[in-house]
Amino acid sequence: MTTETKETGVACGAPAVLVVQHEEDAGPGLVGEHLAGTGLRLDVIRAWEGEALPASLGGHAGLIVLGGSVNCEDDESAPWLPGVRTLVREAVAGEVPLLGICLGGQIVAHALGGSVARRFQGPEVGAVPLRRLPAAEGDPVLGGVPDGAPAAQWHWDEVDRLPAGAVPLLSGDDCPYQAFRVGSVGWALQFHPEAGGETVASWAVGDAEHLRAAGVDRETAVGSVREAEPELRAVWGAVSEAWGSVVRAHAGASRGV
């Protein structure tokens, strides 16, 4: 996976997005590439290395919370999680564009009063088709996602209860809450729009024992993502840029442009 750094090559005056990264091999990836390509600056906080989160979102036009293997409530293993929840609540209350990815989406749900549980049926991994829900029509970020579009999945936990007021946008046959909207400009995803085949292959190596214990063929899971990668890049690249447009609009409004 391509991991964006604080130095993205974008002009310092460009709108900045705060990115919370939980693990070395779970960076902004394809999402980060598209956002940087459209003129946004990524301020990546490597929380697992001890980099401190800011106390607030001041100076940032958006917030991305990335994925990872820790449980969203495991503050002992990931002592930065309370700070992330605070930033999520600030983003929603202040109408700052928010994007939660996999663990990040679960953190969004949990921080706002929803709940997350271990999947009793085992992990969902590989490329999985999604289903549009009625509320996706006209959504500024996910409105263009076609019914049946594949998404790269890699999760053992899932949101089992949405926060009050959340709007479900995408679903799946094996996971009901694949994407939902919170507030006016917040989105949470259960899947990995940032990941391609190489990234998933590295995760499969690290999770080999867990996959075997769950009866999952890792080669099949990785192969499905590699096969779907052209469509994954097209669909989720467009979604990344749509979210970036929301960020730029927010930044312009904040500056009175």
Side-chain angles (χ1 to χ4, degrees), residues 16 45 59 76 82 137 140 158 175 189 250:
I45 303 297
E76 183 175 351
E137 189 67 30
E158 67 183 12
C175 179
L189 313 177
H250 169 76

Side-chain angles (χ1 to χ4, degrees), residues 93-175:
E95 298 186 333
V96 176
L98 166 68
L99 182 63
I101 293 175
C102 199
L103 169 61
Q106 295 165 6
I107 291 172
V108 170
H110 178 248
L112 300 177
S115 61
V116 175
R118 197 71 166 178
R119 285 170 51 84
F120 70 88
Q121 67 272 52
E124 183 176 45
V125 296
V128 174
L130 304 183
R131 289 187 280 108
R132 285 173 60 91
L133 298 174
E137 189 67 30
D139 183 84
V141 171
L142 296 172
V145 175
D147 195 53
Q153 306 279 356
W154 207 265
H155 62 107
W156 275 250
D157 298 334
E158 67 183 12
V159 175
D160 66 344
R161 179 170 55 84
L162 292 179
V167 179
L169 301 172
L170 298 174
S171 186
D173 292 339
D174 195 39
C175 179

Side-chain angles (χ1 to χ4, degrees), residues 7 50 57 61 85 95 103 112 121 129 131 150 192 210 218 248 256:
E7 302 298 328
L57 292 172
R85 291 193 285 269
E95 298 186 333
L103 169 61
L112 300 177
Q121 67 272 52
R131 289 187 280 108
H192 287 277
H210 297 296
R218 69 176 184 175
R248 288 192 298 277

Side-chain angles (χ1 to χ4, degrees), residues 81-95:
L81 288 180
V84 179
R85 291 193 285 269
T86 296
L87 292 174
V88 164
R89 295 185 189 110
E90 179 187 348
V92 174
E95 298 186 333

Side-chain angles (χ1 to χ4, degrees), residues 1-27:
M1 176 185 295
T2 300
T3 301
E4 296 294 329
T5 68
K6 291 182 191 313
E7 302 298 328
T8 59
V10 179
C12 289
V17 174
L18 181 67
V19 182
V20 180
Q21 183 173 338
H22 305 280
E23 296 177 359
E24 184 174 7
D25 63 350

Side-chain angles (χ1 to χ4, degrees), residues 206-248:
D207 288 334
E209 289 188 17
H210 297 296
L211 293 171
R212 278 195 298 270
V216 174
D217 186 310
R218 69 176 184 175
E219 296 302 327
T220 299
V222 173
S224 68
V225 175
R226 291 192 189 280
E227 183 178 356
E229 185 153 351
E231 191 173 0
L232 293 172
R233 286 180 172 272
V235 171
W236 306 116
V239 165
S240 301
E241 291 175 13
W243 187 79
S245 294
V246 174
V247 174
R248 288 192 298 277

